[in-house]
Amino acid sequence: MANTFTNRSNMAAQRSLLRALGWSDSEMNKPIVGIVSAQSEIIPGHIHLGEIARAVADGVLAAGGKPVIVPSIGVCDGIAMGHRGMRYSLPSREIIADSAEILARAHAFDACVFVGNCDKIIPGMLLGAIRLDLPCAFVSGGPMLAGRRAGGKLSLSSMFEAVGAYASGKIGENELHEFECTACPSCGSCSGMFTANSMNCLLEALGMALPGNGTVPAVYSARIALAKRTGEAVMRLLANDIRPRDILTETALKNAERVDMAIGASSNSVLHLLALASELGFSKEQISVDTMNEISAQTPNLCRLAPAGERYIEELDEAGGISAVIRTLIDADLFDGSALTVAGVTQDQLTATARVKDPELIRPVSDPYSPYGGLAILKGNLAKEGSVVKKSAVDPKMYRHSGPARVFDSEEEAMEAITSNRIRPGDVVVIRYEGPKGGPGMREMLSPTSSIVGAGLGDTVALVTDGRFSGATRGAAIGHVCPEAAAGGVIGIVEEGDTIEIDIEKGEINLRVPQNEIDRRLKAFVPKEKPAEGYLRRYRALVTSASDGAVFRKF
């Protein structure tokens, strides 16, 4: 397992620079393992990643490698929410992938361990790992503990809903302050089944992380031990020449989709799994929103974690974690246990002893929360290429809804209407020009959805957008409408008062306007283009549809 710089006279100059770092002769002869860490002092899920990265380094050292810790950028979606900073969240995924590729290739790493935690960081690192196709493993920083207030548990979504309740006069300033001080009690990724925890759980289902990656709390010592084992594991991958493309097969992605549906993961997981499929070169016949819908129809929803329920990630860990979910699905012939993992064994072997310890949290296949998956893809004349809803977080009363469109060309316009009590029961709030091109950046919109729920309208008002939603969103929130308004989609020609009909059970979303009128409007339609500068301007020029994962165009 010699590295690029070992015992080659033509590399003496390069080795002299490594000696400037204080490397010894023995270190020169070891494989170089890049530990790509997104540690920073602005993201609660990343503040402690220096400790996690150092534990990975200990594992690499113990197994005979030379670890080097290098940085990655990251965006905290919660902090970026509700202002222009959110336009940079999804675009940061491409920067993260690019920087991982650049760092590892430029410095001739022999293998990599990726240490991230939140939202777009893990998907970006996955894209980078696929491009590099070096032996790679992942370990996250782990979830935050749930907050506690008045005998109950809460999370960031509770906080955003409290803001909505305050804006509608349901709670006072002192109560809002109490929420603020108790919602996020520790470091780690926000404590519900939001995007960060969804992707960290799916890393296990994909086979790219060891058991416990998605659920062991950030503050537990077991998280440090897991990081050390991951460092050891990547050295075994290197010794056996097992690479991401050996693990991330079509089977692995479909396995992840099944776990996605079983645990009721964030709607953003659809976007990121499609991006992985694109990076891997899979056709739409192999992986698409249609295959996701097929898998959803076949996979029962076994978990209802916040925001869909009252249980939290730390409780999923106590119930057996993702290994128990995978074992349940394998035993029901709903998950292909032959898929390879970073442990060097199959999923079947890795989860052989996993057991469900709380059948109320991880339901049996014979008694699920729902016979269908936690996510649903809706299509119709308003979303010909598809849209996404977290069905498990929707009040069943809203599975079918028809109402007048209340149309807004930005999140800010919609928020002003919601907070000034201009939205009425039965309305369908339409927020457009927030897609990948239209934003640009495809902002998450937790503030509007939380404000609707906080105002007591969650079971009577739907929200439809070409943007996307936080994993913390609940209610009839339909996002990723494709084609988006900026690309000439039908959502761009919806007018105030038009009837929009939603049928989540049938997987349909339609604008109830005569076809000849739709055709007339489309013929006259000139999409708006919002001002953009710097990276966002380049992003808008390169990004594809959300139905393709909002990846950059291939050249």
Side-chain angles (χ1 to χ4, degrees), residues 14 28 34 56 95 100 127 129 135 161 201 290 305 324 370 375 411 478 526:
Q14 288 87 337
M28 292 285 188
V56 173
I95 294 287
L127 294 174
E161 289 173 17
C201 289
D290 294 323
L305 297 162
S370 165
L375 299 178
E411 177 186 4
I478 294 99
V526 179

Side-chain angles (χ1 to χ4, degrees), residues 277-294:
S278 176
E279 193 68 46
L280 288 161
F282 295 149
S283 68
K284 288 199 172 185
E285 286 69 34
Q286 292 173 287
I287 304 288
S288 69
V289 291
D290 294 323
T291 58
M292 290 181 177
N293 237 6
E294 292 167 11

Side-chain angles (χ1 to χ4, degrees), residues 354-421:
R355 295 291 180 269
V356 174
K357 301 173 185 176
D358 182 349
E360 280 303 307
L361 198 152
I362 304 174
R363 291 275 188 91
V365 170
S366 60
D367 183 29
Y369 284 99
S370 165
Y372 311 111
L375 299 178
I377 306 297
L378 312 185
K379 285 191 170 184
N381 67 3
L382 191 58
K384 290 184 178 180
E385 295 175 4
S387 60
V388 184
V389 62
K390 188 169 182 174
K391 183 179 178 181
S392 60
V394 178
D395 189 313
K397 290 186 291 185
M398 291 295 289
Y399 282 177
R400 296 185 66 186
H401 181 77
S402 181
R406 304 297 308 279
V407 183
F408 306 96
D409 287 347
S410 70
E411 177 186 4
E412 288 81 3
E413 291 178 17
M415 274 299 294
E416 197 279 327
I418 296 166
T419 56
S420 61
N421 299 315

Side-chain angles (χ1 to χ4, degrees), residues 16-252:
S16 72
L17 292 169
L18 299 180
R19 292 190 186 280
L21 299 172
W23 286 24
S24 67
D25 287 341
S26 63
E27 287 176 306
M28 292 285 188
N29 293 321
K30 294 177 180 179
I32 302 174
V33 179
I35 301 171
V36 184
S37 170
Q39 192 277 334
S40 76
E41 294 185 355
I42 190 61
I43 303 177
H46 290 196
I47 186 69
H48 64 306
L49 291 190
E51 186 178 8
I52 302 294
R54 181 47 55 195
V56 173
D58 288 345
V60 170
L61 282 167
K66 169 58 182 174
V68 290
I69 299 174
V70 295
S72 170
I73 67 161
V75 171
C76 177
D77 281 24
I79 295 173
M81 199 79 65
H83 58 92
R84 67 179 184 175
M86 180 48 72
R87 299 196 191 283
Y88 289 88
S89 173
L90 183 59
S92 75
R93 187 185 69 183
E94 312 311 310
I95 294 287
I96 292 163
D98 289 347
S99 63
E101 177 188 358
I102 289 166
L103 274 167
R105 289 291 184 219
H107 300 104
F109 293 165
D110 297 292
C112 287
V113 176
F114 290 90
V115 182
N117 215 23
C118 297
D119 300 287
K120 312 310 157 297
I121 292 90
I122 292 298
M125 288 177 167
L126 274 168
L127 294 174
I130 292 167
R131 292 182 202 169
L132 291 167
D133 206 33
L134 298 168
C136 289
F138 282 70
V139 61
S140 77
M144 182 184 290
L145 295 177
R148 285 168 171 77
R149 179 180 176 275
K153 292 185 177 181
L154 65 157
S155 67
L156 184 65
S157 62
S158 313
M159 186 65 242
F160 274 91
E161 289 173 17
V163 172
Y166 173 75
S168 61
K170 294 183 180 297
I171 64 172
E173 191 167 339
N174 288 341
E175 192 171 357
L176 181 66
H177 184 69
E178 288 177 17
F179 271 98
E180 179 183 330
C181 293
T182 54
C184 300
S186 75
C187 64
S189 49
C190 298
S191 57
M193 188 55 78
F194 312 149
T195 306
N197 289 327
S198 294
M199 293 307 302
N200 287 327
C201 289
L202 294 187
L203 279 172
E204 293 186 49
L206 288 165
M208 290 301 294
L210 296 176
N213 179 75
T215 59
V216 174
V219 295
Y220 285 11
S221 298
R223 176 63 53 180
I224 299 299
L226 175 61
K228 291 177 181 178
R229 292 198 301 274
T230 303
E232 295 168 349
V234 80
M235 293 303 294
R236 292 193 296 272
L237 294 175
L238 180 60
N240 294 301
D241 195 28
I242 298 173
R243 300 165 184 262
R245 287 179 181 270
D246 298 320
I247 297 172
L248 293 171
T249 62
E250 180 182 343
T251 295

Side-chain angles (χ1 to χ4, degrees), residues 404-420 422-424 427-434 445 448 452 461-467 485 491-492 494-497 528 530:
R406 304 297 308 279
V407 183
F408 306 96
D409 287 347
S410 70
E411 177 186 4
E412 288 81 3
E413 291 178 17
M415 274 299 294
E416 197 279 327
I418 296 166
T419 56
S420 61
R422 290 192 283 118
I423 302 302
R424 298 286 178 257
D427 286 349
V428 178
V429 175
V430 176
I431 306 178
R432 60 194 181 192
Y433 294 105
E434 291 288 4
M445 284 172 279
I452 287 171
V461 170
L463 196 155
V464 177
T465 181
D466 54 9
I491 191 172
V494 176
E495 295 181 357
E496 187 81 6
K528 295 180 180 179
K530 292 181 179 177

Side-chain angles (χ1 to χ4, degrees), residues 90-91 93-94 271 274-275 436 442 539 542-553:
L90 183 59
R93 187 185 69 183
E94 312 311 310
L271 195 69
L274 289 172
M442 202 179 188
Y539 182 83
L542 294 171
V543 73
T544 61
S545 169
S547 63
D548 295 318
V551 295
F552 280 171
R553 287 186 290 111

